Amino acid sequence: RKEVEQDPGPFNVPEGATVAFNCTYSNSASQSFFWYRQDCRKEPKLLMSVYSSGNEDGRFTAQLNRASQYISLLIRDSKLSDSATYLCVSGDYGGATNKLIFGTGTLLAVQP
Amino acid sequence: DAMVIQNPRYQVTQFGKPVTLSCSQTLNHNVMYWYQQKSSQAPKLLFHYYDKDFNNEADTPDNFQSRRPNTSFCFLDIRSPGLGDAAMYLCATSRELGTDTQYFGPGTRLTVL
């Protein structure tokens, strides 16, 4: 079982649509969670951190459910420029482990 | 201004010919990481340095080595590249270990002929 699992997509949505991505993680000891965005053939860039209380940044809302080991990202009013791969990431720290564990990403294609 | 710089952006090498990838940072961060990302796969951590302390992931092949001569620079050496080592190699930095944000460089795309 992968440590971080995501639906690879692609999610093809029209401009202005609302789209939601989900992600599950297997390590209940994971301490922090993030969504990164990766454009084609570019490096990952931090989109937002994910907190248990949920957090919002403009059109983007992230939620964490520790009981279900589940993370979500909601994008409202999709723009063409939102087209990218969205990587769900858990941070495992402590002991001999100190690293980010990436999911394989969910591809979003926003259509005009 | 670029904060994490990787050179070259594209590298072609021959099967078995050693290759070195370079990463430099202007952030004065303590931690530098090397990730390998193959097509349609997640980035996978190979190793990281905290200052001069080297930390190798358990499943990183011996073929991959790293050097960090100073705070700013970190190198990835692939001693005998195989066809399976063709990938994007991403360097990242963070101020500290733990929950600090990791900043990624643009990556070096390695092709092995």
Side-chain angles (χ1 to χ4, degrees):
Chain A
R1 184 185 171 190
K2 291 180 186 172
E3 292 181 82
V4 176
E5 293 211 55
Q6 299 180 246
D7 180 347
F11 283 60
N12 295 300
V13 302
E15 265 187 295
T18 295
V19 61
F21 305 139
N22 302 318
C23 163
T24 57
Y25 62 95
S26 61
N27 184 359
S28 59
S30 294
Q31 298 168 22
S32 57
F33 304 90
F34 311 92
W35 283 100
Y36 275 73
R37 171 193 168 130
Q38 186 170 27
D39 292 291
C40 188
R41 302 177 81 84
K42 298 283 184 69
E43 74 274 25
K45 292 187 178 175
L46 180 64
L47 180 65
M48 58 198 306
S49 301
V50 188
Y51 306 116
S52 294
S53 54
N55 50 304
E56 189 173 311
D57 183 2
R59 297 182 293 109
F60 299 84
T61 301
Q63 294 246 302
L64 166 64
N65 183 321
R66 284 194 183 272
S68 303
Q69 295 183 201
Y70 171 94
I71 302 156
S72 65
L73 176 68
L74 184 77
I75 306 176
R76 289 180 297 279
D77 189 22
S78 300
K79 312 289 185 194
L80 294 176
S81 58
D82 294 334
S83 298
T85 296
Y86 290 83
L87 299 164
C88 177
V89 185
S90 72
D92 289 341
Y93 314 111
T97 299
N98 200 305
K99 61 185 179 183
L100 297 181
I101 298 172
F102 287 80
T104 53
T106 298
L107 179 61
L108 172 66
V110 181
Q111 318 282 350
Chain B
D1 289 335
M3 297 182 291
V4 182
I5 301 158
Q6 290 189 243
N7 285 304
R9 295 292 307 280
Y10 301 90
Q11 176 74 56
V12 180
T13 191
Q14 291 180 328
F15 183 94
K17 185 174 180 183
V19 66
T20 294
L21 310 183
S22 167
C23 177
S24 63
Q25 52 130 340
T26 60
L27 298 162
N28 205 34
H29 281 175
N30 288 312
V31 195
M32 295 186 79
Y33 309 80
W34 279 104
Y35 288 84
Q36 178 192 63
Q37 187 177 24
K38 296 185 178 181
S39 182
S40 301
Q41 295 186 21
K44 180 178 173 303
L45 183 65
L46 296 173
F47 25 61
H48 74 270
Y49 272 94
Y50 182 85
D51 194 14
K52 291 184 170 59
D53 292 334
F54 177 71
N55 294 271
N56 199 29
E57 291 298 302
D59 56 355
T60 298
D62 291 340
N63 198 24
F64 292 87
Q65 304 285 321
S66 187
R67 296 169 284 135
R68 190 179 185 186
N70 54 51
T71 300
S72 300
F73 283 86
C74 194
F75 300 99
L76 169 63
D77 300 308
I78 309 176
R79 292 194 295 191
S80 182
L83 297 179
D85 297 328
M88 172 81 93
Y89 290 88
L90 295 160
C91 174
T93 75
S94 65
R95 187 170 46 87
E96 290 293 337
L97 294 169
T99 57
D100 268 12
T101 298
Q102 291 189 22
Y103 296 88
F104 282 83
T108 295
R109 186 166 295 279
L110 178 68
T111 300
V112 181
L113 301 177

